[in-house]
Amino acid sequence: MSDAVSGMAEPDQLLDVAVDDLGIVRLTWVRGLRITEELANHAMTLVDRVNGSHERPLLVDMTGTAALTRPARVTFTRRCSASRIALLGQSPVDRVIANFALGVSSVPVPTRFFTSEPSAVAWLRHDDTGA
Amino acid sequence: MTTRAPEPGDDRLSQLVELVVELASGDRGARMQPSPASDEIDAVIVGINMMAEELQALDADLEARVTERTLQLEQAQLQLERLALYDPLTGLANRTLLADRIGQAMARADRGAAPPAVLLLDLDGFKAVNDSFGHAVGDLLLMEVASRLRAVVRESDTVARLGGDEFALVVIDATNDQVLEMAERIRTALQAPAQLGDQVCWVSASIGVCFAVRGQQADALLRDADTAMYEAKGTTRGAVQIYETRMHTAALSRVRLADQLRGAIAGGQLRVHYQSIVDLQDGRTSGVEVLVRWQHPTRGLLLPAEFIGVAEDTGMIAALDRWVLDTALAQLAGWRATVLGDSAFTMHLNISPIELRSPRFADEVLGSLAHHGISPADLVLEVTETQMTGDDAQTLQALETLRRAGIAVAIDDFGTGYSSIGYVRQKFLDLVKIDRALVTGLDTDPQQHRVAAAILAIVDAFGLDAVAEGVETAAQAEELRGLGCRFGQGIYWCAPMSAAPMTMHLTAAAHATKRAAS
């Protein structure tokens, strides 16, 4: 059993938000994290701050996430400055969590789950359907 | 995607089975920690965890909705209950809730508690407020009365509005003295003037009190309180009356009398008698007063005092007054054609103030006069002073219409009410009838003589004529004449009599007048 990282640590130590050279905002979560409503809010605030008045594609690296709480999922249904969102994971657990986020809640912008980063980037950049 | 079998010692599948069993048994909070392997088994564990969380949230949501709907239903039920059990104007209990509270109090009495008391209140003067200032002010007054009643009673007592200006109270766990003290407090509370918008109103309440006895029915208790209230209303304004058994007997006999009176009007048992009115200056018969009698099949000839009240309470007064009016005017038409010719002669008719407030009354009187070919100047309508409610708009309008047509209006039993002077100042009067109480002893008692002189001087000062009632002796007639009283009426000249002897009386009087003239 893994020790899920809880919200005890400072939120900034649990995630990282940055814009890459391609103009994609990358939100990377610490592995083994239990994403709560508070963390979800914090992440969205950072993404919005980075984007300013722009809308940019968002790549969320959620590889190794231990859990995503229901209030956190509800938070992600709020419209933010992301024009489309690619969720990136590796394991079957990542896939299940991502699909809960996609399926149970209705997301405001096109959102898809990828296990390959290049596919995710391509989809975000070219608006195509390749996974 | 490949699926591997669990390693030996990996019991996650067994734990997963336990988790599903726990969730199935209703423990929606059951969860399982996935392993660091993050393999397919962990994916199923995470999926079940998330589904359980979803289910838990939906459950909570449903629970919240059920709670909210239940609350709404309860509020709707309360509102319905309010509509069904409370008076919408005052917020007091209504008749249904009152009966329920009486029933509860009687049930407690059966188990050993003290029986309750019921107070029934009827406002005196409410109709005058409604008539004078309109229903909006009347409603404000009812609300004010309700609030004063609430302030007087204890938490455990019930105040109800039964409809109109009638209120009731159920008092429990109180001694008879405490109940009577409460009745007194109510009287005092209602005495204070009520500021209703721009109007200030004064009302009082007649209160009937009934102390329950064990085993009594709720409706009987209310009925007895009502009987006592009725008795209180018959005395003075703002009286408190305790129910006594004899009142029930009296009420029953009134009901019986009302029933018989209904048959009497249709069955021709009513009679009209006439008493002459004499001009004190020349002794000439100047008119007659019409007096109704009831030839009761077993009780003999009944005077108005014995049945007019019942007629007024039951609404039969309209039919009775109409019958008397028609009969008397037909008689006058007969006398005009045979005995009176066109000599000055007036017929005095008593009318109920209730009738005077009826919007159709004036038209009916004028219609009847026209039907019988009688001049309006031949008719004098007499209204009893103590029954006049004063300045209500409908009464004044009816009097105005009648007087414009030429009918004179007299105030009856003058000197027995509270506001005699006030009435003679009114513009709707032509004639004042001095009560017999002021005539009795006029010729023997100097004090009485001074009072009668003063009253006649007041009547004269307002330019009105007076008729003295109850004149029994020549000396009284002479004194009255000396004091300037214009007319007299009483057994000194003529007792009330039916049409046939009155015809002979008028014929004789006409001959005497002719002889005197020739």
Side-chain angles (χ1 to χ4, degrees), chain B residues 63-117:
Chain B
E63 200 82 23
R65 280 194 210 187
V66 168
T67 306
E68 190 190 332
R69 294 284 188 277
T70 308
L71 200 69
Q72 285 173 347
L73 274 175
E74 281 171 0
Q75 282 169 346
Q77 192 182 349
L78 271 178
Q79 210 170 349
L80 276 176
E81 210 169 81
R82 270 210 98 63
L83 282 174
L85 299 177
Y86 292 87
D87 169 46
L89 177 68
T90 59
L92 295 178
N94 67 9
R95 192 179 280 274
T96 310
L97 184 56
L98 180 82
D100 186 55
R101 295 279 164 84
I102 294 175
Q104 284 177 21
M106 293 307 289
R108 288 181 66 237
D110 288 343
R111 294 193 298 273

Side-chain angles (χ1 to χ4, degrees), chain B residues 313-512:
Chain B
D313 292 342
T314 53
M316 280 187 276
I317 192 71
L320 193 150
D321 273 359
R322 206 168 304 123
W323 180 85
V324 172
L325 175 74
D326 262 336
T327 309
L329 290 182
Q331 184 59 61
L332 181 56
W335 285 335
R336 278 277 177 224
T338 55
V339 187
L340 299 171
D342 57 0
S343 62
F345 188 87
T346 52
M347 183 168 259
H348 291 234
L349 205 70
N350 293 284
I351 51 165
S352 158
I354 294 173
E355 272 299 276
L356 203 50
R357 282 195 291 268
S358 154
R360 296 185 314 278
F361 178 72
D363 288 343
E364 281 175 4
V365 171
L366 296 175
S368 192
L369 281 169
H371 175 74
H372 293 288
I374 302 288
S375 160
D378 287 359
L379 189 61
V380 179
L381 295 177
E382 295 188 1
V383 189
T384 303
E385 178 191 354
T386 49
Q387 292 181 323
M388 286 287 282
T389 50
D391 300 337
D392 66 277
Q394 277 159 307
T395 301
L396 292 179
Q397 196 182 344
L399 289 173
E400 178 63 27
T401 307
L402 293 164
R403 291 188 72 245
R404 231 187 358 248
I407 295 169
V409 174
I411 192 138
D412 205 1
D413 303 334
F414 185 78
T416 56
Y418 297 109
S419 46
S420 306
I421 305 296
Y423 283 119
V424 292
R425 292 173 66 108
Q426 301 288 340
K427 290 190 180 127
F428 56 72
L429 276 188
D430 303 278
L431 202 62
V432 169
K433 294 194 81 174
I434 307 290
D435 190 69
R436 61 182 62 241
L438 296 170
V439 175
T440 308
L442 182 68
D443 47 342
T444 52
D445 180 355
Q447 169 71 13
Q448 186 78 324
H449 190 274
R450 281 195 294 274
V451 172
I455 285 181
L456 284 165
I458 289 167
V459 172
D460 183 57
F462 286 102
L464 303 171
D465 276 331
V467 181
E469 293 179 295
V471 180
E472 295 176 350
T473 66
Q476 286 170 350
E478 190 47 38
E479 289 293 344
L480 286 164
R481 198 183 63 76
L483 290 172
C485 181
R486 176 80 194 273
F487 303 102
Q489 179 183 349
I491 56 166
Y492 167 59
W493 293 283
C494 162
M497 57 183 72
S498 60
M502 181 51 79
T503 305
M504 290 197 287
H505 180 85
L506 291 176
T507 308
H511 287 152

Side-chain angles (χ1 to χ4, degrees), chain B residues 124 187 204-208 227-242 246-247 386 418:
Chain B
D124 305 315
R187 250 166 49 98
S204 58
S206 300
I207 306 175
T227 304
M229 187 276 291
Y230 192 87
E231 187 97 355
K233 226 171 175 51
T235 53
T236 53
R237 276 172 75 105
V240 177
Q241 179 68 55
I242 302 168
R246 63 155 184 89
M247 293 176 192
T386 49
Y418 297 109

Side-chain angles (χ1 to χ4, degrees), chain B residues 176-238:
Chain B
N176 290 6
D177 282 347
Q178 286 170 326
V179 171
L180 293 178
E181 277 166 23
M182 184 179 287
E184 200 48 48
R185 283 204 303 277
I186 291 170
R187 250 166 49 98
T188 312
L190 294 183
Q191 264 169 10
Q195 180 76 47
L196 311 168
D198 297 335
Q199 310 293 345
V200 179
C201 297
W202 280 263
V203 284
S204 58
S206 300
I207 306 175
V209 182
C210 185
F211 297 108
V213 289
R214 287 196 176 85
Q216 201 172 5
Q217 295 294 314
D219 53 352
L221 191 52
L222 260 179
R223 180 202 63 204
D224 291 348
D226 189 55
T227 304
M229 187 276 291
Y230 192 87
E231 187 97 355
K233 226 171 175 51
T235 53
T236 53
R237 276 172 75 105

Side-chain angles (χ1 to χ4, degrees), chain A residues 1 70 73 91-92 95 100 104, chain B residues 33 36 38 50 53-54 57:
Chain A
M1 281 198 208
R70 191 172 192 273
R73 291 206 308 273
S91 70
R95 185 167 164 238
F100 256 95
V104 177
Chain B
Q33 191 72 31
S38 285
M50 292 183 87
E53 191 183 12
E54 196 64 28

